[in-house]
């Protein structure tokens, strides 16, 4: 046989489209060429495959070998095509029988001695193979991602782990058994969530704790303003512990983003929400994603979790402005000459900043603020109005009282207690409208928030005197709806509107 076709998988965002690795071996001057829009690392696989074949005891035929990676308009990158190219050469030159070739998909990078190395983004390929009812042959080094894909409902194996090119050939020939998932279910993701941090670690800051519960209950974004040491970073870290565990679909999406980013996936934390905190020197590409071969940014790594931006005014202005559209649309589109990819970016934004360059409020009782009003104004103007308008809750975090710091015992309710209330409120919202309050459309708001005379009067004064924008107006209504849900009331009352307005001080 001079022609062989082996199935593999590419990466396009968090999707893994099928790639047919076609190998043709013909007479003529010996050569080895790869076509099909391969990038440099794919072209270099020629040398890795040649050495791996010889080291594994196979022959590298002195023929004219052409490898076509189809479809030709899909960019190919990385070393994931080494294994399917090697298998294709063995089948095309008659060194391997192709009897069961159509049952498998191959992903893996070859070492020069024939061993297999793990590849980035294996999880989307494994899941795609499962949906196609194929068995994915991949390196042992990707076992954590393979175990993540296990479910108790499945009836047949959808992956097998191999250490080398020889073992991959043994699987194809039926000489190596494919592990049945029933023997591996003890390595499937753990359903429980366990956090080291706890809300009870925070002393004092009772209003801040209530605001955190509001954020978690309605998925509302938050900005905290306070002096150094007031506990802003500590509060942001505890917000994660108030959120309910990830649902199966959310956990798979989050794991897929981590997989293509090369982040380790821990099965014990599979259903836990993460808090991503990029440094304030991060570029726009680091925050929203980018690169010649697009990779996800911090906002996508925080998908279904929390994106915490500490020292907000210190971030590059263009980087912050790049967040505006993803915060509204919940996804990031990255366009390049050869492709356009989409990464999910449905995260809860939490930011923190000091009230002035010196770090303290202008009316600090100890007189520690040495900045002029103009300096304070210039510092706060680093945050643009459109970005500030997209943040639901604005909270001033005062210094912690000494009596609270010196108090013995815990600082109030634990995260588990608050999380139960949050889960109950979220379930109520999903049953009523199919989404959380932060995602309510304007039409749904009109149906769910019917204001009495007192509430309308409060809102009219806010719009006329405080200059609240249309976006801010609707965000106030969404926050008020969450406050009513937390208090167990069906209708939004004037006290809910008043409290929601107090969280739009900036």
């Amino acid at each position: 046989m001079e022609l062989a076709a082996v199935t593999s998988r590419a990466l396009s965002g968090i999707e893994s489209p099928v790639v047919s690795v076609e190998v043709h071996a013909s007479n003529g001057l010996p050569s080895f060429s790869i076509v099909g829009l391969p990038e440099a690392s794919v072209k270099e696989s020629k040398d890795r495959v040649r050495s791996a074949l010889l080291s594994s005891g196979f022959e590298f035929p002195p023929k004219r070998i052409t490898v076509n990676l189809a479809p030709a308009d899909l960019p190919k990158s990385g070393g994931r095509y080494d294994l399917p190219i090697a298998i294709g050469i063995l089948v095309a030159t008659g060194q391997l029988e192709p009897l069961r070739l159509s049952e498998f998909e191959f992903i893996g990078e070859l070492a020069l001695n024939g061993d297999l190395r793990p590849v980035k983004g294996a999880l989307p390929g494994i899941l795609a193979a499962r949906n196609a009812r194929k068995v994915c042959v991949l390196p042992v080094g990707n076992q954590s991602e393979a175990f993540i894909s296990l479910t108790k409902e499945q009836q047949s194996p959808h992956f097998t782990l191999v250490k080398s090119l020889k073992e991959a050939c043994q699987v194809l020939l039926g000489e190596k058994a494919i592990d049945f998932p029933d023997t591996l279910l003890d390595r499937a993701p753990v359903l429980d969530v366990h956090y080291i941090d706890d809300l009870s670690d925070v002393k004092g800051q009772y209003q801040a704790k209530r605001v955190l519960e509001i954020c978690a209950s309605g998925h509302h974004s938050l900005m905290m303003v306070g002096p150094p040491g007031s506990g802003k970073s500590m509060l942001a870290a505890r917000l994660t512990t108030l959120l309910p565990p990830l649902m199966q679909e959310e956990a798979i999406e989050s794991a897929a983003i981590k997989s293509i980013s090369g982040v380790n996936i821990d099965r014990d934390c599979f259903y836990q929400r993460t808090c991503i905190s990029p440094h304030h020197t991060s570029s726009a590409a680091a925050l929203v994603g980018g690169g010649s071969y697009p990779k996800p940014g911090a906002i996508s790594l925080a998908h279904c979790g929390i994106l915490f931006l500490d020292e907000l005014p210190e971030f590059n202005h263009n980087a912050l402005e790049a967040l505006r559209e993803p915060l509204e649309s919940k996804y990031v589109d990255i366009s390049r000459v050869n492709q356009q990819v989409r990464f999910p970016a449905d995260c809860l934004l939490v930011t923190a900043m000091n009230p002035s360059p010196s770090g303290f409020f202008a009316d600090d009782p100890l007189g520690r603020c040495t900045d002029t009003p103009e300096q304070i104004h210039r510092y706060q103007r680093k945050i643009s109005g459109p970005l500030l308008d997209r943040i639901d809750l604005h909270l001033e975090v005062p210094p912690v009282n000494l009596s609270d710091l010196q108090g013995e015992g815990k600082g109030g309710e634990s995260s588990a207690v608050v999380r139960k209330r949050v889960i109950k409120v979220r379930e109520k919202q999903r049953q009523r409208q199919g989404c959380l309050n932060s995602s309510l459309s304007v039409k749904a708001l009109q149906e769910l928030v019917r204001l009495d005379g007192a509430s309308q009067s409060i809102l009219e004064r806010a719009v006329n005197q405080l200059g609240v924008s249309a976006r801010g107006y609707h965000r106030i209504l969404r926050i008020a709806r969450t406050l009513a849900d937390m208090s167990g009331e069906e209708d939004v009352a004037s006290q809910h509107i008043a409290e929601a307005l107090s969280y739009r001080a900036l």
Side-chain angles (χ1 to χ4, degrees):
M1 185 180 210
E2 293 187 348
L3 182 65
V6 181
T7 304
S8 185
R9 293 279 171 177
L11 274 181
S12 180
I14 62 170
E15 304 296 327
S16 192
V18 66
V19 171
S20 178
V21 181
E22 301 170 345
V23 180
H24 183 257
S26 60
N27 296 324
L29 291 175
S31 64
F32 191 173
S33 59
I34 300 178
V35 297
L37 213 57
E39 61 125 29
S41 60
V42 180
K43 294 178 181 178
E44 291 170 353
S45 68
K46 294 184 292 186
D47 300 311
R48 293 194 296 270
V49 168
R50 180 186 291 108
S51 297
L53 287 172
L54 296 174
S55 300
S56 301
F58 297 104
E59 293 181 3
F60 190 82
K63 291 180 173 289
R64 183 182 181 86
I65 297 175
T66 304
V67 177
N68 178 39
L69 306 177
D73 59 346
L74 179 69
K76 322 295 190 306
S77 61
R80 58 176 44 231
Y81 304 103
D82 291 2
L83 179 59
I85 289 174
I87 295 292
I89 291 175
L90 293 176
V91 172
T93 57
Q95 300 181 67
L96 191 63
E97 290 295 328
L99 299 178
R100 304 176 60 197
L101 194 59
S102 61
E103 301 175 16
F104 298 95
E105 295 183 358
F106 297 86
I107 297 174
E109 178 183 333
L110 285 170
L112 298 184
N113 62 355
D115 290 342
L116 281 173
R117 293 194 173 106
V119 297
K120 288 184 180 180
L123 181 58
I126 298 169
L127 296 174
R130 184 179 69 183
N131 294 337
R133 301 185 182 278
K134 300 286 186 70
V135 176
C136 185
V137 181
L138 70 156
V140 172
N142 289 114
Q143 60 182 352
S144 62
E145 294 159 270
F147 297 147
I148 287 296
S149 68
L150 289 172
T151 60
K152 294 183 179 180
E153 294 78 16
Q154 63 191 86
Q155 301 297 321
S156 60
H158 64 275
F159 69 84
T160 184
L161 303 170
V162 294
K163 296 179 181 178
S164 63
L165 175 60
K166 278 187 176 181
E167 284 195 11
C169 295
Q170 291 172 354
V171 170
L172 191 58
L173 295 172
E175 298 175 1
K176 183 181 184 298
I178 300 174
D179 294 327
F180 193 73
D182 286 350
T183 64
L184 301 173
L185 287 179
D186 59 332
R187 303 188 186 185
V190 178
L191 293 175
D192 296 332
V193 292
H194 301 284
Y195 296 101
I196 298 176
D197 298 327
D198 196 272
L199 189 64
S200 60
D201 299 334
V202 182
K203 300 291 186 67
Q205 301 295 11
Y206 303 107
Q207 184 186 19
K209 291 178 183 179
R210 172 167 174 78
V211 172
L212 289 187
E213 185 174 348
I214 298 171
C215 288
S217 298
H219 199 74
H220 299 292
S221 53
L222 170 65
M223 171 181 280
M224 293 181 284
V225 182
S230 57
K232 301 185 294 296
S233 299
M234 189 177 188
L235 288 165
R238 269 68 185 172
L239 178 56
T240 310
T241 68
L242 306 185
L243 297 171
L246 291 168
M247 294 183 287
Q248 180 69 24
E249 184 179 350
E250 293 175 333
I252 289 294
E253 279 191 347
S254 298
I257 295 171
K258 292 178 182 178
S259 175
I260 62 180
S261 302
V263 179
N264 183 50
I265 302 173
D266 187 351
R267 72 183 186 92
D268 295 331
C269 304
F270 184 63
Y271 291 100
Q272 291 184 192
R273 299 180 189 266
T274 57
C275 180
I276 303 298
S277 181
H279 195 262
H280 63 260
T281 58
S282 300
S283 64
L287 285 182
V288 300
S292 52
Y293 288 88
K295 296 179 180 179
I299 192 172
S300 294
L301 288 170
H303 179 61
C304 297
I306 294 174
L307 176 64
F308 178 48
L309 303 182
D310 199 6
E311 305 295 344
L312 188 64
E314 305 302 327
F315 278 83
N316 179 272
H317 176 76
N318 293 333
L320 290 181
E321 295 306 299
L323 292 174
R324 284 161 51 178
E325 185 177 348
L327 289 176
E328 293 287 331
S329 63
K330 307 300 182 184
Y331 57 81
V332 176
D333 281 328
I334 302 175
S335 299
R336 294 295 180 264
V337 174
N338 294 321
Q339 63 177 327
Q340 177 174 333
V341 300
R342 171 173 289 187
F343 295 114
D346 187 4
C347 65
L348 181 56
L349 177 66
V350 179
T351 66
M353 62 177 288
N354 296 324
S356 65
S358 62
F360 300 97
F361 289 107
D363 58 352
D364 182 69
L366 299 179
R368 289 172 292 182
C369 181
T370 58
D371 305 303
T372 65
E374 177 60 29
Q375 289 174 322
I376 295 175
H377 181 67
R378 190 182 308 116
Y379 177 76
Q380 294 179 350
R381 281 291 300 273
K382 291 182 179 180
I383 312 302
S384 70
L387 178 62
L388 189 62
D389 202 36
R390 284 170 166 81
I391 300 178
D392 296 334
L393 299 160
H394 309 156
L395 173 68
E396 287 191 358
V397 184
V400 184
N401 294 327
L402 183 62
S403 58
D404 290 327
L405 283 176
Q406 294 178 337
E408 297 182 359
K410 294 289 186 178
E413 292 180 313
S414 67
S415 293
V417 172
V418 179
R419 186 164 62 243
K420 288 181 180 179
R421 295 201 297 265
V422 169
I423 292 174
K424 184 178 179 180
V425 173
R426 282 184 166 227
E427 287 178 350
K428 179 180 180 180
Q429 294 170 17
R430 293 190 185 279
Q431 291 174 2
R432 181 181 61 209
Q433 69 236 10
C435 66
L436 299 179
N437 286 340
S438 64
S439 301
L440 281 172
S441 65
V442 175
K443 182 179 180 180
L445 270 177
Q446 293 174 347
E447 297 175 356
L448 294 174
V449 182
R450 300 187 180 277
L451 302 176
D452 55 23
S455 300
Q456 289 180 346
S457 177
I458 293 173
L459 274 176
E460 285 177 5
R461 289 200 301 271
V463 172
N464 295 330
Q465 298 178 15
L466 303 180
V468 176
S469 67
R471 180 186 289 113
Y473 173 84
H474 291 126
R475 290 183 185 275
I476 291 169
L477 295 183
R478 294 185 182 102
I479 297 168
R481 180 66 266 175
T482 299
L483 290 169
D485 292 338
M486 290 172 61
S487 60
E489 300 179 26
E490 293 299 324
D491 297 323
V492 174
S494 58
Q495 64 266 26
H496 303 137
I497 296 293
E499 185 177 356
L501 271 170
S502 69
Y503 299 134
R504 298 286 298 180
L506 299 181

